[in-house]
């Protein structure tokens, strides 16, 4: 496979750009062009948000305290819930489609919310041709992520950020990324 050059194909990777400052849960769509591919209510958190209930402020919010890795924004998802078959995902179009047989480094950072009672393993990224969804429910997506954190290595870091990364050889035409628990 060909190696690609170090160009970030994910727009608004640190969730800094927004159409409006988030004011409540479920407003990932404010961090243009990110959105939720299902009816799960993925959150957008930013330092511009007021510190009033329900706070989606950075660094202090309803889920705890966490500074952004870079800048002043991030997204929050519920990758696994006590509610039967409830999952949240975030999705964005890439700035250009992936080229067949080219290797790409896919990476993202995660932090366990202070309010979480459990930590999960196998958080992943799925690269698709076209958007995933809109899916009219919040059940787990029946997709196999090309990049995934290791099985049985729970993502327990709530004080900082943990890197999830992997090398993907593109089939060609992938133009969206979806992050979540598959």
């Amino acid at each position: 496979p060909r190696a690609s050059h170090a160009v970030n194909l994910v727009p608004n990777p640190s969730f800094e750009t927004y159409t409006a400052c988030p004011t409540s849960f479920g407003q990932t769509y404010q961090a243009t062009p990110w959105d939720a591919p299902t009816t799960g209510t993925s959150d957008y958190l930013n330092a511009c948000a007021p510190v009033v209930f329900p706070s989606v402020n950075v660094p202090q919010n309803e889920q705890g305290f966490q500074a952004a890795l870079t800048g002043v924004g991030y997204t929050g998802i519920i990758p696994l819930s006590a509610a039967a078959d409830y999952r949240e995902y975030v999705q964005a179009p890439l700035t250009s489609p992936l080229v067949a047989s080219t290797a790409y480094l896919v990476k993202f950072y995660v932090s366990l919310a202070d309010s979480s009672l459990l930590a999960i393993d196998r958080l992943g990224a799925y690269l698709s041709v076209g958007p995933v969804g809109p899916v009219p429910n919040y059940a787990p997506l029946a997709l196999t992520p090309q990049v995934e954190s290791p099985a049985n290595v729970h993502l327990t870091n709530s004080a900082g950020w943990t890197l999830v990364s992997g090398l993907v050889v593109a089939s060609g035409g992938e133009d969206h990324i979806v992050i979540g628990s598959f």
Side-chain angles (χ1 to χ4, degrees):
R2 275 188 5 222
S4 64
H5 301 298
V7 174
N8 189 352
L9 299 178
V10 177
N12 197 11
S14 295
F15 304 94
E16 301 304 312
T17 304
Y18 52 85
T19 53
C21 187
T23 56
S24 189
F25 302 126
Q27 295 183 351
T28 297
Y29 61 88
Q30 299 289 15
T32 307
W34 289 89
D35 68 1
T38 68
T39 58
T41 56
S42 305
D43 302 323
Y44 175 46
L45 300 95
N46 193 292
C48 66
V51 186
V52 296
F53 182 82
S55 178
V56 288
N57 184 265
V58 172
Q60 187 67 52
N61 53 65
E62 296 307 313
Q63 289 73 35
F65 183 93
Q66 184 56 264
L69 180 65
T70 59
V72 294
Y74 51 84
T75 188
I77 63 170
I78 297 174
L80 184 63
S81 172
D85 290 332
Y86 183 83
R87 305 262 175 100
E88 293 178 356
Y89 300 87
V90 290
Q91 169 180 254
L94 302 178
T95 57
S96 63
L98 303 187
V99 176
S101 301
T102 300
Y104 294 87
L105 175 63
V106 176
K107 65 181 187 175
F108 59 95
Y109 292 85
V110 298
S111 180
L112 181 66
D114 295 334
S115 64
S116 294
L117 301 176
L118 301 171
I120 68 161
D121 62 348
R122 300 181 317 174
L123 198 63
Y126 178 74
L127 299 163
S128 65
V129 176
V132 171
V135 176
N137 62 54
Y138 46 70
L141 293 172
L143 303 169
T144 302
Q146 295 94 332
V147 173
E148 192 172 52
S149 64
N152 301 314
V153 178
H154 292 83
L155 300 165
T156 59
N157 185 357
S158 61
W161 295 90
T162 300
L163 173 65
V164 175
S165 67
L167 203 58
V168 174
V169 177
S171 296
E174 296 94 337
D175 59 3
H176 280 75
I177 187 169
V178 179
I179 297 172
S181 176
F182 297 87

